[in-house]
Amino acid sequence: MNTSLKRLKEQNDALILAHNYQCDEVQDVADNVGDSFELSKIASEVNCSVIVFCGVDFMAENAAILSPQKNVLLPVRQATCPMSQMITSADVRQLKEQHPGAPVVCYVNTSAAVKAESTVCCTSANAVKIVNTLEADRIIFIPDWNLGQYLASKTDKEIISWKGYCPTHRGITLGDVLMKRHEAPDCEIIVHPECRPEVVAAADYVYGTGGMIRHAKMSSAPHIAIGTEVGMLHRLKTICPDKEFSALGETVCPNMKRTHVADVVRALERKEYQITVPEGVCIKAKHALDMMLEMGT
Ligand code: 13P
Ligand code: SF4
């Protein structure tokens, strides 16, 4: 590791967390690389003074909610998630009025204010388990419509979905899956549940990023194609160097690619950008995240 980064980490008693979609160089200097669920869990349990969160804003916000006593830094302020901006807390209140009694399951890709209006949070790693554990027969699921459709196919419950989407995963088409099958007939195809329903239906497996890694470790297939952000290729190749991995389409999340090692160094030098959540919102959002950690582990 870059020596100034190592020194800054020690001086600040800091931990660097990076999402699986981060640039290769950021993954390589991080203390932990993982999916949204794994990183939330680490943030809630770890003993340190500062967390540098290399990912997008809602992920750093989750860390700040789960560990309000720590200083959580997001190295690049513009690293945001467009899907998380597709629903507001006022939208959630309106949905609750329209569907009285239905619990609200919010995907982790949401703002703290939206989580504060929700019953329980979930990630792609535990969404099916959480929906099936809830007693209600009708569930409001926000904000990802594609993940909502996937959940509806995995449960007998009625899923009332919001119309949000991930622009990156929406770019993966059925044509990409068919082309891959034609080019590499022996490869396994795994896609993220944020993909379009026809892409999910044509894939061999559907997993969040952590599930993709667990599957790749166990699989005997020599070639695995993934339908998700390309940062996963570096992660998978590091963990399973003897396998071949390829991507479906040109799948880049521009926000996940904004952070570089120089930004991490600057974040620690200047203590930027500190992520804080107003106390009233934080308490309610923490409840939804704590419920997820309890039900979804
Ligand atoms: P994971 O929870 O699978 O890591 O996904 C997060 C995300 O932002 C997917 O686009
Ligand atoms: Fe948001 Fe999509 Fe980027 Fe994930 S890949 S952070 S859902 S825009």
Side-chain angles (χ1 to χ4, degrees), residues 19-21 34-37 58-59 107-109 123-124 166 169 192 194 208-210 256:
H19 186 264
N20 288 323
Y21 294 161
D35 68 13
S36 313
F37 184 63
F58 75 82
M59 296 181 174
Y107 195 28
V108 72
N109 300 42
T123 73
S124 56
C166 163
H169 286 86
H192 198 281
E194 289 175 16
T209 62
M256 281 285 186

Side-chain angles (χ1 to χ4, degrees), residues 50-293:
V50 174
I51 293 179
V52 185
F53 211 116
C54 305
V56 288
D57 56 353
F58 75 82
M59 296 181 174
E61 216 174 46
N62 291 343
I65 295 165
L66 288 165
S67 272
Q69 71 288 358
K70 293 189 187 107
N71 193 357
V72 178
L73 305 175
L74 178 71
V76 179
R77 209 204 296 265
Q78 299 80 1
T80 56
C81 169
M83 186 207 286
S84 77
Q85 295 167 351
M86 290 179 188
I87 190 161
T88 65
S89 54
D91 294 327
V92 187
R93 283 193 292 277
Q94 200 175 25
L95 278 168
K96 290 196 285 192
E97 270 172 37
Q98 285 165 353
H99 306 282
V104 179
V105 179
C106 74
Y107 195 28
V108 72
N109 300 42
T110 42
S111 66
V114 164
K115 287 186 180 89
E117 290 291 342
S118 303
T119 315
V120 55
C121 194
C122 74
T123 73
S124 56
N126 53 30
V128 174
K129 185 174 178 187
I130 285 175
V131 163
N132 280 326
T133 306
L134 288 167
E135 277 182 13
D137 294 328
R138 292 165 78 228
I139 287 167
I140 299 169
F141 182 75
I142 55 169
D144 186 17
W145 191 81
N146 288 342
L147 181 52
Q149 296 304 109
Y150 177 66
L151 286 173
S153 75
K154 293 279 167 195
T155 177
D156 294 334
K157 296 170 195 260
E158 183 190 349
I159 305 291
I160 302 153
S161 277
W162 192 247
K163 283 272 182 187
Y165 62 89
C166 163
T168 300
H169 286 86
R170 196 157 85 151
I172 302 172
T173 64
L174 179 58
D176 293 323
V177 180
L178 299 179
M179 172 104 78
K180 187 61 76 176
R181 292 245 187 255
H182 178 70
E183 285 168 1
D186 295 337
C187 85
E188 274 184 350
I189 298 185
I190 314 178
V191 302
H192 198 281
E194 289 175 16
C195 290
R196 294 166 183 270
E198 65 271 25
V199 170
V200 166
D204 297 315
Y205 300 97
V206 183
Y207 289 120
T209 62
M212 288 182 185
I213 293 169
R214 283 187 290 280
H215 178 92
K217 282 184 187 164
M218 307 273 294
S219 169
S220 56
H223 177 184
I224 297 176
I226 50 153
T228 193
E229 214 278 342
V230 291
M232 274 301 289
L233 290 177
H234 178 67
R235 185 87 179 107
L236 287 162
K237 283 175 188 160
T238 306
I239 292 173
C240 304
D242 51 336
K243 289 199 170 77
E244 186 187 345
F245 296 98
S246 62
L248 297 180
E250 299 281 316
T251 321
V252 176
C253 171
N255 288 289
M256 281 285 186
K257 294 292 179 267
R258 288 186 194 277
T259 309
H260 298 279
V261 172
D263 301 304
V264 180
V265 170
R266 205 195 45 244
L268 280 167
E269 279 170 351
R270 300 189 190 167
K271 313 281 178 293
E272 284 178 348
Y273 292 91
Q274 295 191 19
I275 303 299
T276 52
V277 178
E279 200 184 341
V281 175
C282 185
I283 290 168
K284 287 164 82 187
K286 187 169 186 307
H287 184 258
L289 280 165
D290 283 341
M291 283 267 288
M292 170 183 84
L293 293 171

